[in-house]
Amino acid sequence: MGLSSSLVPVASALLLLCCCFTGWNAAASASGGLRLNYYSESCPRAEQIVKEQVRSLYEEHGNTAVSWLRALFHDCTVKSCDASLLLETDAATGLVSEQASPRSFGMRNFKYVGAIKAALERECPGTVSCADLLALAARDGAAMLGGPAPIAMRTGRRDATESHYGEVERYIPNHNGTVSAVLSRFGSMGLGAEAVVALLGAHSVGRVHCSNLVGRLYPAVDGGIEPAYGAYLRGRCPTADAREDTRDVEYARNDRATPMVLDNMYHRNLLKGRGLLLVDQRLASDPRTAPFVRKMAGDNGYFREAFAAALVRMSENGPLTGGLGEVRTDCRFVNAK
């Protein structure tokens, strides 16, 4: 999961979720239409189908698991967990996809959403929403990456009929932003400092494109970066002229030790001055977040608990439920009237 550029027992996770996060009561009422096993009667195998598809895709394209985490972050952070992110640009209707926003640079694997949706449609036509698909895929993707499992996730989300393209820049925090800005944005979703530090732990997997790094490397390496690590990053990003519009973009792995494992290596790296994005590194020095960075760096089990709880909470941000929205038959387009 990148900010702009990739989960311990369920009872513990849910206890942490219910007791520790700012704004929980208000947020819970806003997502009151969600429930566990929502599809138990209408599509009993829905969650199993998503899990099977996520596993199959992971075995063929490992980076898809990282993509599901970032997709859920982008979808839920921009107003609502409503699969608006998945809508493609439609010149006929004037709809502009959120994927076209600069904040969505580097996102990929949207084409594989269609494979998961097709499997669901074969089993239960017009039943399982794209918004629930994204939430479940992120949960199961995290498990594929060695994150916490199982995670109980409520479902019952419905799909937006419009894109929020014009608001993406306002909702997705900038990778060079301040900790205050990030805490404020997540706080509006009922997530406190502990949850923010846990969720950004998703930066333990995946990669960051050089276009998002060169500001810390040129003309001089940021003093907050460990010197040896700075030299490595300059090797990965050899010029300040890193462009976003090239197909073969240059990048650096978020974590060189366990690059495809969702673990606390992210937090351990922050304590060593090895944070890739500026906002990542700032977490280790800000008094509101530094204690959680240190605690997660020293206890992977604690990180997993906090991540699981925060992921669930984020996945329930302002969902459309009941008679709102629709259940798209193709996640790329609003249903034909």
Side-chain angles (χ1 to χ4, degrees):
M1 175 188 337
L3 282 176
S4 66
S5 25
S6 319
L7 266 157
V8 202
V10 174
S12 297
L14 293 180
L15 179 61
L16 181 65
L17 175 66
C18 295
C19 298
C20 299
F21 291 85
T22 327
W24 164 256
N25 291 332
S29 62
S31 59
L34 305 182
R35 66 176 186 268
L36 295 176
N37 303 312
Y38 179 86
Y39 297 106
S40 60
E41 296 184 6
S42 61
C43 192
R45 293 193 66 249
E47 295 196 24
Q48 184 60 34
I49 289 170
V50 174
K51 184 177 295 184
E52 290 169 357
Q53 291 295 314
V54 167
R55 176 179 289 278
S56 176
L57 287 165
Y58 172 76
E59 290 173 349
E60 187 172 356
H61 311 284
N63 59 27
T64 54
V66 181
S67 295
W68 307 143
L69 286 170
R70 187 178 176 195
L72 184 66
F73 167 77
H74 276 251
D75 188 52
C76 290
T77 302
V78 181
K79 299 190 72 172
S80 167
C81 299
D82 57 9
S84 59
L85 172 70
L86 300 180
L87 289 170
E88 294 188 353
T89 295
D90 186 344
T93 63
L95 184 149
V96 181
S97 176
E98 293 172 27
Q99 298 170 35
S101 168
R103 285 284 198 274
S104 300
F105 171 68
M107 298 190 75
R108 52 187 176 157
N109 292 323
F110 289 111
K111 61 185 177 183
Y112 297 121
V113 171
I116 303 175
K117 181 62 170 171
L120 290 167
E121 289 295 307
R122 286 192 296 269
E123 181 86 5
C124 312
T127 302
V128 181
S129 70
C130 300
D132 277 342
L133 182 163
L134 272 185
L136 294 171
R139 176 190 71 177
D140 297 336
M144 290 294 96
L145 294 166
I151 298 174
M153 184 167 279
R154 301 196 292 174
T155 45
R157 302 164 188 78
R158 288 171 64 84
D159 300 327
T161 56
E162 61 182 0
S163 167
H164 308 309
Y165 169 78
E167 300 180 77
V168 174
E169 293 282 327
R170 179 162 67 94
Y171 278 92
I172 300 294
N174 188 291
H175 63 275
N176 287 322
T178 65
V179 172
S180 291
V182 172
L183 291 178
S184 175
R185 183 68 207 99
F186 279 94
S188 68
M189 295 190 287
L191 295 162
E194 180 184 45
V196 170
V197 175
L199 280 175
L200 293 189
H203 287 179
S204 174
V205 293
R207 62 191 190 178
V208 172
H209 294 110
C210 288
S211 58
N212 291 324
L213 294 178
V214 291
R216 301 191 70 202
L217 302 177
Y218 300 96
V221 176
D222 185 328
I225 299 178
E226 178 192 56
Y229 192 58
Y232 159 75
L233 292 178
R234 277 198 162 193
R236 293 295 304 171
C237 306
T239 173
D241 185 28
R243 301 177 181 178
E244 293 187 355
D245 59 353
T246 56
R247 176 169 297 184
D248 188 22
V249 292
E250 296 172 315
Y251 65 89
R253 287 288 180 188
N254 288 350
D255 168 11
R256 296 171 67 190
T258 55
M260 290 298 289
V261 179
L262 184 60
D263 57 16
N264 67 340
M265 189 60 71
Y266 165 81
H267 305 92
R268 294 165 63 184
N269 281 335
L270 293 186
L271 297 181
K272 298 176 181 178
R274 298 175 185 170
L276 281 182
L277 299 174
L278 184 57
V279 72
D280 288 330
Q281 195 58 57
R282 285 172 170 166
L283 294 179
S285 57
D286 191 286
R288 295 164 294 182
T289 53
F292 298 116
V293 172
R294 291 192 295 270
K295 187 172 181 180
M296 290 181 198
D299 187 342
N300 193 49
Y302 165 61
F303 160 66
R304 289 162 62 89
E305 287 184 1
F307 186 90
L311 185 73
V312 171
R313 176 64 203 96
M314 183 179 71
S315 78
E316 297 184 356
N317 181 47
L320 302 179
T321 58
L324 300 175
E326 64 180 14
V327 174
R328 287 185 225 136
T329 56
D330 184 330
C331 294
R332 299 173 299 168
F333 307 108
V334 174
N335 292 340
K337 302 301 183 185

